[in-house]
């Protein structure tokens, strides 16, 4: 792709085709049919500076070479779509509805699109689509995954504990006091089961005060992102960021960990820590010392991988971005072996970018 004179995008080689020419676009998610090679980008956009954002999903025209058709999610304003392709022909998309005010909860909605025999894309509409999954989200944290045959769909997101548990932190709704919830479908997204709280943090206790540390219960909360994946046995894996948190003192911290969640063969929840990054410089906005987990399963080897970001201020503690005061970050990767310990045992994360420190 290359930019054109009107700030749109064209596809090279010619014939050129504008993919999007609105006022502002961003946050691309791409799902693909690995058998046919077809892929379907999605993103949100506004046509003018006065228009609300709407999420769209795109497809290459089956009739006109170089042309991409944009289909907009109906109903109200939506941002930050995430998508997954099911081999049964459905594309599954989750969106966030926002009013632009960070102090109020947002909505998580789900919608399906059907890929027809000609490579077209049509809404697989039901009376309840786009379907409201939750109205208690405080950030754009969702992810979506399908299993190999497309029959199973999972949606995950951070949900505000002020809504679910009545835990009013500081001035009420915020981006820090969250659990990770997962909704699952076994019929290609036609219906979803009641959500599972996969972080399942222990809340506060009143009786042990003044032992404030113990009274806090768990001293971590989910923050901003999660990653979902089905392996070759249709087992669901979830990775999420958990930041240090002090409810009773009203303190939130940048220091964080990456956790993995799954159900064992008996149906019990199992959590394993993949990475812990002590505070070593302030991360970027909406960031923590380690975050952005992304899971991948290798069908050939059976290895489960997790890629993540981590703050790396350098050996001398001052490797910061120029004039920003924010610490540089690196990309880390960890692996979980095939077999009985898959998802339960993780290697020490390896720094694969290893950014050079400032002199």
């Amino acid at each position: 792709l290359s930019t054109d004179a009107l700030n749109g995008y064209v596809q090279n080689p010619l014939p050129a085709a504008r993919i999007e020419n609105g006022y502002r676009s961003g946050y691309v998610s791409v799902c693909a049919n690995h058998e046919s090679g077809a892929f379907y980008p999605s993103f949100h956009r506004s046509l003018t500076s006065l228009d609300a954002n709407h999420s769209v999903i795109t497809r290459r025209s089956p009739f006109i070479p170089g042309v991409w058709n944009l289909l907009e999610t109906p109903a109200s304003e939506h941002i930050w779509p995430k998508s997954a392709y099911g081999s049964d022909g459905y594309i599954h998309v989750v969106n966030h509805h926002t009013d632009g005010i960070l102090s109020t909860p947002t909505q998580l909605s789900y919608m399906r699109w059907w890929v027809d025999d000609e490579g077209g894309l049509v809404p697989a509409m039901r009376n309840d689509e786009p379907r409201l999954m939750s109205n208690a989200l405080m950030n754009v944290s969702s992810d979506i995954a399908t299993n190999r045959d497309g029959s199973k769909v999972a949606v995950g997101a951070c949900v505000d504990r002020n809504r679910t548990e009545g835990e009013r932190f500081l001035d009420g709704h915020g981006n820090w006091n969250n659990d990770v919830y997962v909704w699952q479908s076994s019929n290609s997204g036609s219906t979803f089961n009641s959500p599972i709280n996969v972080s399942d943090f222990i809340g506060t206790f009143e009786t042990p005060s003044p032992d404030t540390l113990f009274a806090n219960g768990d001293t971590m909360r989910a923050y901003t992102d999660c990653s979902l994946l089905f392996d070759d046995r249709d087992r669901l894996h979830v990775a999420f960021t958990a930041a240090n948190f002090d409810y009773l003192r009203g303190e939130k911290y940048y220091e964080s960990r990456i956790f993995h969640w799954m159900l064992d063969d008996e149906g019990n929840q199992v959590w394993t820590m993949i990475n812990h990054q002590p505070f070593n410089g302030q991360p970027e906005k909406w960031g923590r010392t380690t975050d952005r987990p992304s899971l991948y399963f290798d069908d050939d080897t059976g290895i489960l991988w997790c890629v993540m970001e981590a703050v790396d201020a350098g050996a001398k503690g001052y490797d910061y971005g120029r004039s920003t005061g924010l610490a540089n970050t690196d990309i880390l990767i960890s692996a979980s072996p095939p077999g009985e310990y898959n998802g339960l045992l993780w290697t020490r994360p390896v720094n694969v970018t290893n950014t050079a420190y400032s002199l």
Side-chain angles (χ1 to χ4, degrees):
L1 301 180
S2 61
T3 58
D4 65 7
L6 298 177
N7 296 319
Y9 287 89
V10 297
Q11 177 183 328
N12 293 319
L14 294 177
R18 189 190 307 277
I19 291 181
E20 206 285 322
N21 63 347
Y23 164 72
R24 185 179 182 183
S25 306
Y27 300 104
V28 177
S29 174
V30 179
C31 64
N33 180 340
H34 295 287
E35 294 182 359
S36 69
F39 59 96
Y40 306 91
S42 57
F43 53 90
H44 71 247
R45 66 167 182 169
S46 57
L47 293 178
T48 73
S49 60
L50 301 178
D51 290 332
N53 287 298
H54 291 275
S55 70
V56 297
I57 186 164
T58 67
R59 65 175 177 89
R60 192 192 304 269
S61 171
F63 308 110
I64 307 175
V67 171
W68 290 76
N69 296 329
L70 278 66
L71 294 90
E72 192 171 275
T73 298
S76 56
E77 179 179 15
H78 289 90
I79 63 171
W80 211 318
K82 293 289 185 67
S83 59
Y85 180 86
S87 59
D88 55 355
Y90 284 115
I91 294 176
H92 308 268
V93 183
V94 286
N95 300 279
H96 293 259
H97 167 70
T98 176
D99 56 11
I101 302 175
L102 294 178
S103 60
T104 59
T106 64
Q107 296 178 347
L108 179 70
S109 65
Y110 163 83
M111 186 172 177
R112 294 182 301 176
W113 300 84
W114 173 257
V115 182
D116 64 28
D117 293 337
E118 299 296 328
L121 201 62
V122 294
M125 293 296 293
R126 293 163 49 92
N127 292 333
D128 56 351
E129 291 182 357
R131 186 177 314 162
L132 178 65
M133 306 295 288
S134 174
N135 63 354
L137 276 67
M138 286 306 302
N139 44 51
V140 280
S141 59
S142 66
D143 197 19
I144 188 167
T146 61
N147 68 340
R148 300 302 188 272
D149 64 13
S151 62
K152 293 186 176 182
V153 184
V155 173
C158 289
V159 174
D160 180 21
R161 287 174 63 94
N162 188 19
R163 284 287 189 94
T164 60
E165 306 293 335
E167 280 188 358
R168 183 179 178 85
F169 180 67
L170 297 179
D171 58 352
H173 304 293
N175 300 305
W176 310 280
N177 190 20
N178 296 297
D179 277 309
V180 176
Y181 276 57
V182 171
W183 295 259
Q184 295 187 69
S185 170
S186 57
N187 52 17
S188 300
S190 294
T191 59
F192 282 84
N193 298 330
S194 298
I196 300 173
N197 183 347
V198 304
S199 53
D200 202 22
F201 293 117
I202 299 172
T204 58
F205 302 98
E206 296 182 0
T207 52
S209 297
D211 186 346
T212 307
L213 181 62
F214 184 81
N216 262 304
D218 279 324
T219 54
M220 291 181 293
R221 292 292 189 271
Y223 186 80
T224 303
D225 44 31
C226 62
S227 176
L228 278 63
L229 176 145
F230 284 100
D231 64 20
D232 60 348
R233 294 171 53 191
D234 285 354
R235 298 179 304 176
L236 179 63
H237 300 264
V238 181
F240 61 92
T241 302
N244 288 4
F245 181 83
D246 191 327
Y247 177 83
L248 295 177
R249 293 187 178 93
E251 297 288 345
K252 51 192 183 294
Y253 302 93
Y254 287 109
E255 183 172 338
S256 62
R257 295 165 171 81
I258 302 292
F259 283 94
H260 170 270
W261 171 96
M262 66 182 297
L263 297 175
D264 64 16
D265 293 338
E266 284 72 43
N268 302 308
Q269 299 188 87
V270 181
W271 297 267
T272 307
M273 188 174 72
I274 300 176
N275 188 39
H276 170 220
Q277 181 65 42
F279 184 81
N280 189 22
Q282 182 176 335
E284 77 282 3
K285 189 175 182 180
W286 294 98
R288 287 299 183 258
T289 54
T290 184
D291 53 16
R292 310 290 188 268
S294 182
L295 294 170
Y296 172 76
F297 185 83
D298 188 333
D299 285 357
D300 294 331
T301 64
I303 296 174
L304 178 63
W305 299 89
C306 183
V307 179
M308 70 214 83
E309 182 184 29
V311 165
D312 187 0
K316 297 180 180 179
Y318 55 75
D319 191 46
Y320 291 87
R322 182 174 299 175
S323 75
T324 67
L326 303 177
N328 288 331
T329 59
D330 279 314
I331 302 301
L332 278 60
I333 187 168
S334 176
S336 184
E340 61 179 318
Y341 293 107
N342 193 234
L344 304 177
L345 181 67
W346 292 85
T347 63
R348 183 186 299 273
V350 175
N351 189 332
V352 296
T353 53
N354 202 24
T355 305
Y357 301 136
S358 301
L359 300 178

